[in-house]
Amino acid sequence: MERNPLHPVPQGGSDAGLLFLEEDTFAICRRLADCLGSRGWMMATAESCTGGLIAAACTSLAGSSQWFERGMVSYSNLAKTELLDVPAELIAQHGAVSEPVARAMALGACARSGAQVALAVTGVAGPGGGSVEKPVGLVWFGWQLGNLGVAEMRVFPGDRAAIRAATVRHALQGLLVRLQPLRPAH
């Protein structure tokens, strides 16, 4: 049995606040690997508020190169435009943390990578940067499966590390749930 390669970081240590790969997230990654691998599909990620943590979770599994194509960290608005072809006008009109931008990020990740599926996250991880309309903890998710694009919004409680950990878990679980009803290619 493969061991979880990442371990909890004790609170208050020099690495306090860093995300560790929780056992349930690791299990989701294993199921996602099986699901994508059985289809011969590749996935890509487009991450803003998680800064590459979803890609790190996926690539913590040995053999992930068989199903994980690439991860793109598009933390700034310019990066979203340059890396993922998110129209600057879309960001100006709706804000970076919005449904249209999450959808565009996921679509751009598929288009730029050639992967069959992609997930995207954009949110306010805190501790600052929140507003009444977009509070700390608000995250928009985008999933792209071929021509099908889906978006969803969640608000997670906790500090920055808790919000980012919940975002990683929900993004991966959301992709897995959306993949399971699809039939494997033969």
Side-chain angles (χ1 to χ4, degrees), residues 22-145:
E22 297 171 342
E23 196 56 42
D24 62 334
T25 302
F26 193 67
I28 294 166
C29 285
R30 284 195 301 262
R31 292 197 320 269
L32 191 56
D34 291 342
C35 191
L36 290 166
S38 70
R39 292 168 170 81
W41 288 359
M42 300 296 283
M43 77 172 276
T45 60
E47 302 181 61
S48 186
C49 61
T50 51
L53 295 173
I54 299 169
C58 291
T59 59
S60 70
L61 292 176
S64 56
S65 62
Q66 299 301 308
W67 56 273
F68 186 82
E69 167 57 33
R70 70 183 73 174
M72 293 166 269
V73 176
S74 54
Y75 206 70
S76 71
N77 292 345
L78 182 60
K80 289 172 182 62
T81 300
E82 288 182 352
L83 293 175
L84 301 167
D85 292 327
V86 176
E89 303 78 34
L90 195 68
I91 297 170
Q93 183 178 3
H94 299 281
V97 180
S98 64
E99 178 179 2
V101 170
R103 285 178 179 272
M105 288 172 66
L107 183 62
C110 267
R112 287 295 184 121
S113 69
Q116 289 79 13
V117 300
L119 63 83
V121 296
T122 181
V124 184
S131 67
V132 173
E133 299 83 26
K134 296 180 182 181
V136 170
L138 180 128
V139 180
W140 274 101
F141 297 84
W143 294 278
Q144 190 71 36
L145 294 86

